[in-house]
Amino acid sequence: MNKLALSAAVAALALSPVLSQAAAPADDASTATYGANVNPNWQDNFFVAGQLGQTQARTSLLDHNNSVFQNVRFGWRWNGIVGPEVGYVYLGRPKTDVFGDGSTSFSAKPRALTVGVNAKYNVYENWFVTAHAGYLRSKTKLDLVSGDVGANYTTYNNGLYAGLGVGYDLTKNFSVGVNYDNYRINTGNSTSVDHVGIGRNRVNVAAYSASVEYRF
């Protein structure tokens, strides 16, 4: 019994700084706001972020790489540093001139739902670095057009994503940044060969973007 009481006393002493910090009011001057590495108020650590930029499909199959990149993410960070996220990403519509004479074109239109982890860390005053990575489920529409004749097919595949960024906290709730992301997707499967003549093709899509984030 004495050992149990002693253990409880030691645990209480160890947790007392954490408990006193958690009990502090959210608007206390000692509570981190922005330009800091830790925000102990879990209710302030939800965020929504949007990215807009350009993609490049790194594959010999698709040579017209420059496409619009759009991404929306929603998540939460423990102590304002690391936590889960979910998102939806549009990776443009890269295409290629199949025979080089303009008679036949092939294009892919990949989109994906993402789920993963994200992190944000202030390295100097309001400047911060970010990272995120996880799993994606992609939906890719494949289009083959030759003259007035066309065929299309939609495939669903699993993949991975990861990215890095750097940014600046303008206020406690609002930040801007620039980012590089990479999405590994498959643009076909075993049955797409029969529909558009393209089988399973693994593609790395690089995305360069500017971002805004709002924390609430």
Side-chain angles (χ1 to χ4, degrees):
M1 186 67 180
N2 290 336
K3 290 182 178 180
L4 180 61
L6 180 60
S7 299
V10 172
L13 288 173
L15 288 174
S16 59
V18 177
L19 295 175
S20 61
Q21 186 180 41
D27 56 354
D28 194 320
S30 64
T31 301
T33 55
Y34 63 97
N37 294 323
V38 175
N39 186 344
N41 186 354
W42 69 272
Q43 292 178 325
D44 288 342
N45 292 329
F46 289 94
F47 71 89
V48 60
Q51 295 172 246
L52 179 64
Q54 177 179 291
T55 61
Q56 293 182 355
R58 294 175 173 173
T59 173
S60 58
L61 179 63
L62 301 163
D63 56 15
H64 183 76
N65 291 327
N66 299 330
S67 297
V68 173
F69 168 74
Q70 298 171 334
N71 187 16
V72 176
R73 296 179 293 120
F74 175 80
W76 177 83
R77 299 187 185 103
W78 178 75
N79 273 356
I81 299 177
V82 64
E85 69 172 21
V86 294
Y88 176 81
V89 58
Y90 173 77
L91 296 171
R93 192 173 184 176
K95 63 182 179 179
T96 188
D97 185 346
V98 177
F99 301 115
D101 58 5
S103 63
T104 304
S105 66
F106 172 76
S107 65
K109 188 178 180 181
R111 291 159 286 178
L113 294 174
T114 61
V115 57
V117 295
N118 77 96
K120 173 179 179 285
Y121 190 82
N122 286 77
V123 291
Y124 178 73
E125 294 183 349
N126 294 16
W127 292 97
F128 62 83
V129 293
T130 60
H132 65 165
Y135 161 86
L136 65 83
R137 180 66 174 173
S138 64
K139 174 183 179 181
T140 305
K141 182 181 179 183
L142 307 173
D143 283 291
L144 181 66
V145 179
S146 181
D148 296 329
V149 180
N152 61 74
Y153 188 70
T154 300
T155 64
Y156 297 85
N157 293 289
N158 301 322
L160 300 171
Y161 75 95
L164 298 171
V166 61
Y168 187 83
D169 289 326
L170 296 175
T171 70
K172 172 185 175 181
N173 302 102
F174 188 72
S175 304
V176 294
V178 291
N179 313 271
Y180 168 78
D181 297 293
N182 189 80
Y183 296 84
R184 173 177 264 186
I185 63 172
N186 289 307
T187 58
N189 55 30
S190 58
T191 58
S192 61
V193 177
D194 300 328
H195 294 81
V196 292
I198 301 296
R200 185 177 296 275
N201 183 48
R202 179 170 290 177
V203 179
N204 283 318
V205 181
Y208 306 88
S209 66
S211 64
V212 294
E213 178 180 289
Y214 181 76
R215 294 175 293 279
F216 54 93

